[in-house]
Amino acid sequence: KKSSLSEVKVAVVGAPSVGKSALTVRFLTKRYIGEYDHQQESKYKHEALLDGEPILFEILDTCPKTLDELPGSEVAQWADGLFLVYSITDRGSFNYIRRAKQNLHPEVPITLVGNKADMVHLRQVSQEEGEILAKDFECSFAEIAAAEQVNQVGEVFFDLCREVLTHRRRA
Ligand code: GDP
Ligand code: MG
């Protein structure tokens, strides 16, 4: 029996404190909650309409404790699409992305996300550096602020979802 619901599994990967949970919770609830209790990896299910088609999202909010803790290959095997998230205010979190990508060997659509774009006065990573890395990864790129813009966060999720569905149809 053919299911009418497309399932899309998305993993949110990045260094500690870049806003992975803020991004995830923003998408799930449209709210921004300043602090997040979860010091653990969490998995969520969320149904949404994409271009009129019902989608069941599964979202894995990963939770490394240090910059040395990289996501394992099981994450890449599970996911249909990946968010690689850094903070534009944290050079170390940008450097983490390359190591994480190397460890994952992903063969699925990726969106590179520069979060905390509202904190321009504390910027350590230029937009151009993000664009260059995305070009290198052959992936999409967006600077966003999970703290500030609801629509932006929805858009990056839906754009990645569209890429996943296109990728799947081609496979
Ligand atoms: P995680 O460890 O990657 O899950 O990061 P969290 O989602 O727990 O966020 C870490 C901290 O950054 C929290 O204090 C958030 O309130 C803050 N934060 C998350 N996103 C943004 C953002 O877009 N702008 C600003 N200014 N702060 C943010
Ligand atoms: Mg978190």
Side-chain angles (χ1 to χ4, degrees), residues 21 38 61-63:
S21 299
H38 2 120
D61 177 15
T62 65
C63 194

Side-chain angles (χ1 to χ4, degrees), residues 82-113:
L82 282 175
F83 281 118
L84 300 180
V85 187
Y86 64 93
S87 165
I88 69 151
T89 66
D90 179 359
R91 169 68 53 188
S93 77
F94 187 66
N95 296 337
Y96 179 92
I97 295 295
R98 208 176 268 286
R99 298 198 303 276
K101 166 91 163 27
Q102 270 164 7
N103 218 47
L104 285 167
H105 294 294
E107 288 174 16
V108 295
I110 297 171
T111 300
L112 179 66
V113 174

Side-chain angles (χ1 to χ4, degrees), residues 44-122:
Y44 304 91
K45 287 195 182 190
H46 180 68
E47 232 183 283
L49 277 181
L50 173 73
D51 309 327
E53 188 189 343
I55 306 287
L56 180 63
F57 282 97
E58 276 190 62
I59 303 168
L60 176 67
D61 177 15
T62 65
C63 194
K65 305 287 188 291
T66 69
L67 286 170
D68 297 322
E69 208 179 301
L70 298 172
S73 56
E74 74 284 354
V75 172
Q77 273 153 25
W78 176 84
D80 299 316
L82 282 175
F83 281 118
L84 300 180
V85 187
Y86 64 93
S87 165
I88 69 151
T89 66
D90 179 359
R91 169 68 53 188
S93 77
F94 187 66
N95 296 337
Y96 179 92
I97 295 295
R98 208 176 268 286
R99 298 198 303 276
K101 166 91 163 27
Q102 270 164 7
N103 218 47
L104 285 167
H105 294 294
E107 288 174 16
V108 295
I110 297 171
T111 300
L112 179 66
V113 174
N115 191 38
K116 308 199 187 183
D118 54 310
M119 307 271 271
V120 277
H121 54 296
L122 296 175

